[in-house]
Amino acid sequence: RRVLFRSVVRIGTVLPVKSLPWMQGAVAEFVELHPGVRIQIQSQAQEKLLEMLENRMLDLAVTTSPVPEGYTIRPLYREALGVLLSAMDPLADQTEIKIADLIGKPIYCNNCDADIHELLQKAFAGTGTAPNIFFEGAYPIHIIDMVFQMQGITFVSELSYHTLRENAYAEKGKGNLVFRRIADVPLERSISLVGID
């Protein structure tokens, strides 16, 4: 086996680490193979991650949007996205939600999820309207709070939804959130590992 002598491996991700359960196993296996090597993981917007790769401030990045030429890209998997809404929202009673049902609804977005902006623009294009992106912020928990209070909706992966339900957040009485896929416009994104030679 090949042992690395570098003391730190720096990884950036556009997604919360809790949304990447495979990463925990991969990091544990890597550390076992390379004892003494520390792992640093940080979340940033994709544009910032690519800049950090260019400046050799990161060794690898986990991305969700296409990246320009010149990077080494390894596609990992695709994930489905859907709507996260309060269980008290009238739409929560529908087993099937269509894009037209979301016209005018305030949408809360995480700044790091630039790929979701692009997906939403494409999804709403067929309705003749633009998505009502009402709020953008860097704190996912604040966004979830506002969705829980029926101030709007957000878009997350199904895996992120299950992570939300399983963590301490749900135990604080804020587990009444519902996930629904969009029936007429499938929303999917690719998760890739990106590096630079």
Side-chain angles (χ1 to χ4, degrees):
R1 74 188 190 185
R2 181 167 162 251
V3 177
L4 290 183
F5 294 99
R6 185 175 192 167
S7 60
V8 181
V9 174
R10 302 153 305 176
I11 303 170
T13 170
V14 295
L15 300 168
V17 176
K18 285 189 175 181
S19 298
L20 301 167
W22 57 269
M23 184 180 277
Q24 295 167 15
V27 166
E29 185 178 336
F30 181 88
V31 170
E32 186 178 332
L33 288 172
H34 307 284
V37 177
R38 279 190 307 123
I39 307 289
Q40 290 179 348
I41 301 175
Q42 61 176 291
S43 294
Q44 293 283 354
Q46 182 155 314
E47 185 178 321
K48 180 67 175 173
L49 292 181
L50 297 181
E51 180 186 315
M52 292 174 78
L53 280 171
E54 288 282 348
N55 294 323
R56 308 295 182 183
M57 296 166 65
L58 287 177
D59 300 298
L60 293 169
V62 178
T63 67
T64 57
S65 299
V67 298
E69 290 183 13
Y71 294 90
T72 304
I73 304 165
R74 181 181 175 194
L76 297 174
Y77 59 93
R78 293 186 67 77
E79 68 176 1
L81 300 171
V83 184
L84 185 70
L85 61 159
S86 165
M88 301 301 290
D89 190 302
L91 283 179
D93 293 332
Q94 297 180 203
T95 54
E96 189 173 275
I97 291 180
K98 296 185 177 178
I99 279 290
D101 297 326
L102 304 177
I103 292 175
K105 269 202 160 312
I107 298 172
Y108 289 76
C109 286
N110 184 346
N111 284 343
C112 289
D113 291 332
D115 60 306
I116 291 182
H117 284 232
E118 193 176 321
L119 287 170
L120 290 180
Q121 295 295 339
K122 289 179 181 174
F124 275 83
T127 68
T129 64
N132 179 20
I133 298 176
F134 179 75
F135 175 88
E136 295 180 74
Y139 300 99
I141 288 300
H142 294 171
I143 291 171
I144 301 304
D145 273 335
M146 289 182 275
V147 169
F148 176 75
Q149 294 167 22
M150 288 185 61
Q151 294 181 34
I153 60 172
T154 192
F155 288 80
V156 299
S157 70
E158 196 158 1
L159 179 58
S160 293
Y161 167 67
H162 289 299
T163 302
L164 272 173
R165 290 185 57 81
E166 290 165 9
N167 71 14
Y169 190 79
E171 294 169 11
K172 294 177 184 174
K174 296 190 175 177
N176 295 324
L177 297 166
V178 173
F179 176 86
R180 295 282 185 266
R181 288 197 186 186
I182 307 297
D184 55 340
V185 183
L187 297 177
E188 278 192 341
R189 64 181 174 189
S190 293
I191 310 299
S192 299
L193 198 58
V194 177
I196 195 165
D197 294 330

